[in-house]
Amino acid sequence: MRTPRLALRAVGFVVVLWMLLHCGSELVAAVPPAGWYDYSAYTDCRGQPEPALYDGGILKFGNSDDPDGYRTTETGVFSPAFVVYNLNKTTMYTFSCWVKLEGASAALITARLAPDNTGARCIATVLARSDCWAFVKGGFVLDWPTQTSVIFFQNADKTPMKITVASGSLQPFTTDQWAMHQQDTIRKRRKRVATIHVADPQGARVVGASVSVQQTTKDFPIGSAIASTILGNQAYQQWFVDRFNAAVFEDELKWYSTEPASGYLRFDVPDQMLAFVRSHRVMVRGHNIFWENQDATPRWVKNLTSPDDLRNAVNTRIQSLMTRYRGEFAHWDVNNEMLHYNFYEQRLGPNASMEFFSVAQDADPLATLFMNEYNVIETCDDPFSTVDTYVAKLKELRTGGAILEGIGLEGHFSKPNIPLMRAILDKLATLGLPIWFTEIDISNKFDAQTQAAYLEQVLREAYSHPAVSGVMLWTALHPSGCYQMCLTDWNLNNLPTGDVVDRLLNEWRTLQAGGLTDAHGAYSFSGFLGEYILTVSYNNRTTQSTFSLSPGDETRHINVQM
């Protein structure tokens, strides 16, 4: 049974639902089929829509008079809608389609889900245009099964326009299927197969040699924020280096910390923190050079009324910070949260951020320069930081000449929407830039066990996505607690979130592998990327060496002579 084209007016959700239920909508049961997740995404506007992912999944519409399956509405409030029946609890639903406008050159369009007429939630957003088709990708998970749900589109500013939707797709995955996709990506992107070949000095195979490999360092950076509270606290320092290979300073590098008054520079604390991470071979991110939020701007900077004085101050800030630490910090968040705030843009003009990136690049050309933003990955309800808004700003900066090389996602989550999270990562990945989770935590409005459960969901999704290059937790420890989420109490006793982190860190490393060489004098294993110690013993002889597993699709071959 096919669904005819629907033209809906903004007459309220109840009427929309009534019309859909009485216009021949196809009844589909949301039974997850066997299938594989499609990471395809698009951030470029196209002349024609691509075919629907998963052949539409459980959304099937179009007829002989409408072979492309377009749906059109005459308003930007309620739009072409899909009715689906019997959606399941805990199933991962990924949604996608293509959208085009008439009556406006561009608009922010939100795809919303209304289950059983109980209110609507955002499941995806797109910056749509009238001259081309824009790709929507998102998703959702339900807390309870529903009999009837509607997916509809809403124009953010509610101005009249025509919205056309094509290639709609809703694909369900069971939690087991979703986990299987995660494990497959981990196997392909975070691990590599290695074969140890053992031979004697004449080149003959050594059969039955004992091979042991032990991972000493991890390739994938997983770290946490630290604060000055770690200085002089040897127990905290040991706890940190036993777990993490990356760090970021919570507040100690921010302008209000390093220059609380004009010309009064204070680098003693970050110098000591840098010495600590350097001594333990921990990579460290620089956070941040500027913060567009005027509430986080030093008072004396806000009082600079002359644009020239402010420009001199910001240039001095970059030079004093980055010349001092040239080559020390792997990353710099150049201008923090510029999608939400615009203190410097207002004072110095719309090209201020481009100038910041240019000066920062000259000051430390080896550092990777990042945008950093919140509510891009956490939700799609924030109109200031939708995925397309972030992409547009990144493209704008790069077009203007900024050497911008990294995408920072803060990750201050309430209840995470994991299918939406993956879809947003898919779209950001189209830019080909390193993506880092820079400040992950879970809101403290939840109890400890719920925080831990949500944290595990977020970390598993972040670690397993092929486009993610690193993960940082926002869990700097203070006697009074942490920003939102701690891993331990002040005495370093694990909280439930700490148990999750410890368990995952152990899961994502090769603790030890070993065995005997086979009839070909070889022993093979699959190990997480990083550095290893290799020990081979045979006939009371032992040899030890090191090797690395770096990213690659081919088996890594290591030859050992006994």
Side-chain angles (χ1 to χ4, degrees):
M1 178 177 171
R2 293 296 192 180
T3 305
R5 177 183 299 177
L6 301 176
L8 306 178
R9 296 187 178 276
V11 290
F13 174 73
V14 174
V15 176
V16 172
L17 179 58
W18 185 92
M19 290 176 65
L20 287 165
L21 291 173
H22 292 79
C23 287
S25 297
E26 180 179 10
L27 189 150
V28 286
V31 178
W36 208 252
Y37 183 84
D38 190 334
Y39 288 95
S40 299
Y42 311 87
T43 51
D44 55 328
C45 217
R46 301 202 166 187
Q48 294 295 328
E50 296 291 326
L53 298 184
Y54 314 105
D55 194 29
I58 60 173
L59 293 183
K60 305 290 185 183
F61 69 99
N63 55 38
S64 58
D65 298 324
D66 187 12
D68 295 315
Y70 295 167
R71 294 185 172 203
T72 303
T73 184
E74 301 297 333
T75 177
V77 182
F78 288 104
S79 66
F82 305 99
V83 176
V84 285
Y85 300 106
N86 304 321
L87 296 182
N88 298 319
K89 176 183 177 181
T90 72
T91 296
M92 304 286 192
Y93 291 96
T94 181
F95 173 73
S96 61
C97 66
W98 291 79
V99 173
K100 188 176 183 180
L101 305 178
E102 290 183 34
S105 59
L108 175 63
I109 303 299
T110 301
R112 295 192 177 275
L113 173 76
D116 285 343
N117 199 17
T118 57
R121 69 180 72 175
C122 177
I123 62 170
T125 59
V126 69
L127 287 177
R129 290 164 47 179
S130 61
D131 59 340
C132 57
W133 290 87
F135 183 65
V136 182
K137 194 171 190 183
F140 59 91
V141 180
L142 294 173
D143 294 325
W144 58 85
T146 65
Q147 293 183 342
T148 306
S149 297
V150 175
I151 297 173
F152 65 97
F153 297 82
Q154 197 169 40
N155 171 24
D157 64 12
K158 300 183 180 181
T159 54
M161 66 182 62
K162 182 183 292 185
I163 301 174
T164 302
V165 177
S167 301
S169 173
L170 183 66
Q171 179 71 11
F173 295 101
T174 66
T175 53
D176 286 343
Q177 287 173 328
W178 200 267
M180 181 176 61
H181 303 156
Q182 291 176 335
Q183 289 302 316
D184 184 68
T185 301
I186 290 171
R187 177 182 61 82
K188 293 176 179 176
R189 300 300 181 101
R190 312 298 182 209
K191 302 180 75 174
R192 189 171 177 181
V193 174
T195 297
I196 316 297
H197 302 272
V198 183
D200 64 18
Q202 290 72 45
R205 301 164 177 161
V206 176
V207 179
S210 175
V211 177
S212 174
V213 294
Q214 185 171 10
Q215 187 174 18
T216 56
T217 65
K218 296 173 290 187
D219 182 70
F220 188 87
I222 300 178
S224 172
I226 56 175
S228 60
T229 52
I230 203 167
L231 297 176
N233 189 334
Q234 292 186 354
Y236 185 12
Q237 291 179 8
Q238 191 61 51
W239 176 91
F240 186 90
V241 299
D242 283 347
R243 287 161 177 78
F244 301 123
N245 60 355
V248 61
F249 301 169
E250 186 178 43
D251 287 316
E252 287 74 9
L253 283 173
K254 292 170 183 172
W255 200 355
Y256 55 69
S257 296
T258 62
E259 194 175 6
S262 179
Y264 178 51
L265 299 177
R266 298 187 56 181
F267 292 110
D268 53 321
V269 172
D271 282 352
Q272 295 175 63
M273 295 172 69
L274 184 59
F276 159 67
V277 296
R278 189 193 299 124
S279 68
H280 292 283
R281 299 194 302 164
V282 173
M283 72 85 69
V284 60
R285 303 190 72 250
H287 176 77
N288 51 56
I289 303 176
F290 298 109
W291 194 348
E292 282 284 354
N293 185 351
Q294 72 169 11
D295 292 338
T297 303
R299 184 185 299 274
W300 67 269
V301 175
K302 289 188 285 188
N303 290 337
L304 296 174
T305 57
S306 164
D308 288 339
D309 289 344
L310 180 57
R311 184 168 281 105
N312 288 334
V314 299
N315 286 334
T316 301
R317 159 70 173 170
I318 298 176
Q319 293 295 341
S320 65
L321 187 68
M322 300 193 70
T323 300
R324 183 182 189 90
Y325 296 121
R326 182 184 175 98
E328 296 279 10
F329 290 91
H331 302 164
W332 278 104
D333 294 328
V334 176
N335 197 6
N336 201 47
E337 299 176 356
M338 67 176 82
L339 296 181
H340 286 92
Y341 308 106
N342 61 353
F343 172 80
Y344 297 101
E345 303 279 344
Q346 280 188 328
R347 301 289 186 92
L348 299 176
N351 293 326
S353 294
M354 292 181 193
E355 295 173 11
F356 295 167
F357 277 95
S358 177
V359 176
Q361 175 67 22
D362 291 340
D364 190 350
L366 297 181
T368 301
L369 305 184
F370 275 69
M371 269 188 72
N372 193 46
E373 193 56 73
Y374 69 92
N375 275 357
V376 178
I377 199 75
E378 300 95 320
T379 179
C380 60
D381 280 316
D382 189 338
F384 296 104
S385 54
T386 68
V387 59
D388 283 11
T389 305
Y390 200 13
V391 168
K393 188 64 175 180
L394 288 162
K395 288 182 176 180
E396 174 191 320
L397 289 169
R398 295 176 79 180
T399 301
I403 308 299
L404 195 154
E405 302 164 309
I407 300 172
L409 302 170
E410 292 186 13
H412 297 294
F413 286 89
S414 185
K415 182 177 181 179
N417 178 348
I418 298 301
L420 174 67
M421 178 179 168
R422 185 180 289 187
I424 289 171
L425 289 171
D426 293 347
K427 293 194 74 171
L428 291 173
T430 63
L431 298 179
L433 294 172
I435 298 173
W436 276 66
F437 282 81
T438 57
E439 305 179 18
I440 288 179
D441 60 19
I442 306 296
S443 171
N444 60 16
K445 71 180 182 181
F446 301 110
D447 62 66
Q449 294 296 337
T450 302
Q451 269 191 323
Y454 290 164
L455 177 63
E456 180 167 358
Q457 292 176 20
V458 168
L459 290 179
R460 286 193 181 279
E461 190 60 42
Y463 183 75
S464 66
H465 197 282
V468 174
S469 298
V471 168
M472 304 292 289
L473 298 160
W474 202 247
T475 50
L477 186 60
H478 301 269
S480 58
C482 306
Y483 173 66
Q484 289 285 327
M485 182 189 80
C486 289
L487 301 181
T488 71
D489 61 21
W490 181 244
N491 295 317
L492 302 177
N493 298 308
N494 263 14
L495 300 172
T497 49
D499 288 338
V500 164
V501 170
D502 284 351
R503 177 158 39 82
L504 293 179
L505 289 174
N506 282 328
E507 181 180 324
W508 296 334
R509 68 176 177 180
T510 308
L511 294 174
Q512 192 165 5
L516 301 178
T517 54
D518 60 18
H520 300 280
Y523 168 76
S524 299
F525 77 103
S526 176
F528 286 91
L529 304 182
E531 301 292 326
Y532 285 80
I533 293 176
L534 168 63
T535 304
V536 181
S537 299
Y538 185 74
N539 282 349
N540 296 321
R541 287 176 294 164
T542 298
T543 182
Q544 194 171 77
S545 59
T546 62
F547 69 94
S548 63
L549 288 183
S550 55
D553 296 329
E554 297 180 348
T555 300
R556 172 86 157 88
H557 293 272
I558 300 103
N559 293 299
V560 177
Q561 185 182 92
M562 293 298 297

